[in-house]
């Protein structure tokens, strides 16, 4: 029996824009991964499947019970909830404190029940989870990774029939990701996972791909899905070559038909002028030839229309399955030392002195557990924080890119972002560069605030690549909110980047594909 089913669901916004239409699915596997490019509607689709949102049309058969994980919930970030209150343990802990203070009323005993060891057990569990051991610690003061782990811990402890996890691995370090994988494996209910994390998608039994062409289901995990997409891309390209050959063959045949018709018409005119045959016979032959030519022309038009329609459908599918590429500048860097950190102690995080020497084309993966000071180190290099002790020497320009690609100014168009942030670049050259990453004609006037995460990434990397001096890139989890295609594209761009960078990322696949040369662990 499927955990959930959806039939012909569509989502249309108030302005008439169609997000998706007539999607149908049946979740019969216990572990399903939902993938698709940013902005395609995965989170809204999941909200409809969970019952949190009603579709514009269509029907959904919901599970008996369902819980949803989403990043950075407002009620935890802005509210005054403690860890104990969020976990629903505050009343028992309060009762235990009352008993310890000498108040042994029956009410407190009833509240405690059999949970006399809760305080000690909860403290131990919090330490094991990498969370503050104090149950009264405010949730709003937790780091992004700690907050994610707290929410996920509560959800995996529930007995719901279906868990929908929307990007659960963002902000999690390597240790926390392994805990997440183990939790997914042992959870008894079904899981619908929305993720761009290949490590997690490899744990799935089935992959659903949401695209502009609908919802496609692939049996097997992520690796099976990738192989299927590669095979499909090759098949689509072969079909496009075949269609092109058929169009050329049709055009050649049409040309031969026109030449034969012209020859017959010339022959008929010659006979008419010679007067050797009756006029009525010549008129009959002319009418027959005209009718035959008209029929041939109609057939040619029908075949041409069919081939054009087939080509359009194949190109649309190719756009969905192809791997995009981001081409950057070919500037080169000199092999000289650009960052020297000697016995430096950070303002936050790691308290051990750090000694680090970085050269102009070094590609470094900066790793460590949540809260160890990775972002603090990058911001110290930028000058936003100062060292508590030690020496820092910089001999390079720096360019900082985070998961929100803040280098893209929201009030400027794509064209003006490039012109204003790349000294000396001409408008014609800027347009050519933007066309190279898929933005042509009027699309270059789209404001930075209107761009998706992947589009901001492409524009930001274009800006970085065309600085007068090749800067050292400081990349603070730039892959966090990117879809799979954009992640792969950014990794390839970083691999091809002639300068150096320091990358903070919890995705080992992404880091490896980015051309990492060495790892530094805090």
């Amino acid at each position: 029996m499927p955990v959930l089913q959806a039939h012909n669901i569509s989502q249309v916004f108030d302005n008439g824009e169609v997000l998706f239409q007539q999607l149908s699915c049946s979740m019969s596997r216990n572990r399903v991964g939902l993938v698709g490019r940013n902005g395609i509607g995965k989170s809204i689709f999941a909200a409809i499947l969970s019952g949190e949102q009603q579709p514009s049309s269509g029907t959904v058969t919901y599970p008996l019970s369902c819980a949803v994980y989403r990043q950075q919930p407002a009620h935890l970030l802005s509210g005054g909830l403690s860890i104990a209150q969020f976990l629903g343990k505050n009343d028992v802990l309060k009762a235990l404190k009352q008993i310890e203070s000498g108040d042994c009323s029956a009410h407190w005993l009833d509240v405690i029940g059999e949970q006399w060891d809760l305080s000690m057990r909860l403290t131990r569990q919090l330490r094991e989870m990498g969370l503050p051991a104090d149950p009264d610690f405010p949730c709003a003061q937790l780091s992004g990774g700690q907050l994610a782990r707290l929410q996920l811990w509560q959800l995996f402890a529930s007995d719901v029939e279906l868990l929908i996890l929307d990007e659960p691995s963002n902000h999690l370090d390597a240790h926390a990701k392994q805990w997440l994988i183990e939790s997914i494996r042992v959870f008894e209910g079904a899981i619908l996972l929305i993720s761009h994390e290949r490590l997690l998608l490899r744990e799935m039994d089935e992959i659903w791909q949401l695209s502009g062409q609908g919802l496609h289901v692939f049996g097997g995990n992520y690796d099976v899905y990738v192989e299927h997409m590669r095979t499909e891309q090759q098949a689509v390209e072969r079909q496009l070559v075949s269609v092109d050959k058929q169009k050329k063959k049709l055009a050649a045949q049409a040309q031969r038909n026109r030449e034969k018709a012209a020859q017959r018409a010339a022959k008929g005119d010659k006979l008419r002028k010679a007067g050797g045959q009756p006029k009525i016979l010549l008129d009959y032959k002319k009418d027959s030839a005209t009718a035959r030519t008209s029929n041939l022309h109609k057939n040619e038009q029908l075949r041409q229309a069919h081939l054009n329609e087939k080509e359009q459908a194949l190109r649309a599918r190719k756009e969905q399955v192809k791997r995009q590429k981001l081409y950057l500048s070919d500037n080169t860097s000199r092999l000289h030392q650009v960052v020297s950190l000697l016995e430096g102690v950070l303002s936050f995080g790691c308290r051990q002195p750090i000694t680090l020497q970085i050269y102009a084309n070094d590609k470094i993966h900066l790793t460590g557990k949540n809260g160890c000071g990775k972002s603090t180190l990058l911001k110290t290099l930028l000058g936003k924080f100062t060292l508590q002790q030690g020496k820092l020497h910089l001999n390079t320009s720096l360019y900082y890119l985070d998961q929100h690609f803040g280098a893209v100014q929201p009030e400027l168009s794509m064209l003006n972002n490039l012109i204003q942030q790349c000294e000396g670049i001409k408008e014609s050259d800027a347009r050519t560069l933007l066309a190279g990453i898929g933005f042509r004609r009027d699309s270059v006037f789209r404001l930075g605030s209107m761009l998706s995460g992947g589009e901001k990434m492409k524009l930001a990397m274009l800006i970085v690549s065309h600085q007068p001096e090749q800067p050292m890139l400081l990349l603070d989890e730039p892959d966090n909110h990117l879809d799979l295609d954009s992640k792969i594209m950014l990794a390839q761009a970083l691999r091809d980047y002639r300068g150096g960078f320091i990358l903070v990322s919890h995705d080992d696949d992404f880091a490896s594909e980015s051309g990492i040369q060495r790892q530094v662990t805090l």
Side-chain angles (χ1 to χ4, degrees), residues 97-115:
K97 289 178 181 178
Q98 292 295 327
I99 296 290
E100 289 173 3
S101 67
D103 183 356
C104 298
S105 66
H107 170 70
W108 301 125
L109 295 173
D110 290 339
V111 171
I112 294 170
E114 300 297 324
Q115 302 182 71

Side-chain angles (χ1 to χ4, degrees), residues 67-88:
V68 181
Y69 168 83
R70 287 194 178 83
Q71 304 173 52
Q72 309 298 301
H75 71 286
L76 293 183
L77 290 171
S78 58
L81 280 179
S82 67
I83 292 177
Q85 287 172 325
F86 174 73
L87 294 174

Side-chain angles (χ1 to χ4, degrees), residues 347-348 375-377 379-387:
S347 302
F348 308 99
S375 295
T376 301
L377 175 56
K379 290 175 181 177
T380 300
L381 296 180
L382 283 171
K384 293 185 177 180
F385 294 143
T386 57
L387 292 172

Side-chain angles (χ1 to χ4, degrees), residues 291-310:
R292 186 166 55 251
T293 301
S294 177
N295 286 334
L296 283 172
H297 185 60
K298 286 179 181 177
N299 288 334
E300 288 165 5
Q301 286 183 320
L302 287 172
R303 289 180 62 194
Q304 183 70 42
H306 171 71
L307 289 172
N308 287 340
E309 186 178 337
K310 186 175 181 180

Side-chain angles (χ1 to χ4, degrees), residues 375 378-379 384 399-408 453 456-457 460 474-482 490 504:
S375 295
L378 297 188
K379 290 175 181 177
K384 293 185 177 180
Y399 207 98
Y400 178 78
L401 288 174
D402 62 4
Q403 58 193 283
H404 304 296
F405 297 98
V408 175
K456 285 182 180 178
M457 177 274 294
L474 305 182
L475 304 162
D476 197 354
E477 300 192 55
D479 56 312
N480 238 4
H481 300 296
L482 297 181
L490 176 57
V504 176

Side-chain angles (χ1 to χ4, degrees), residues 300-351:
E300 288 165 5
Q301 286 183 320
L302 287 172
R303 289 180 62 194
Q304 183 70 42
H306 171 71
L307 289 172
N308 287 340
E309 186 178 337
K310 186 175 181 180
E311 182 182 33
Q312 188 176 2
L314 286 170
R315 292 197 181 281
R317 186 57 187 155
K318 183 182 178 181
E319 192 65 26
Q320 298 297 331
V321 299
K322 75 175 183 179
R323 291 288 185 215
Q324 296 178 319
K325 291 185 178 181
L326 178 61
Y327 297 97
L328 301 179
S329 169
D330 287 332
N331 294 342
T332 57
S333 299
R334 298 187 301 277
L335 299 177
H336 62 274
Q337 191 177 94
V338 294
V339 177
S340 177
L341 179 60
L342 181 63
E343 295 293 309
V345 176
L346 301 177
S347 302
F348 308 99
C350 176
R351 309 307 300 168

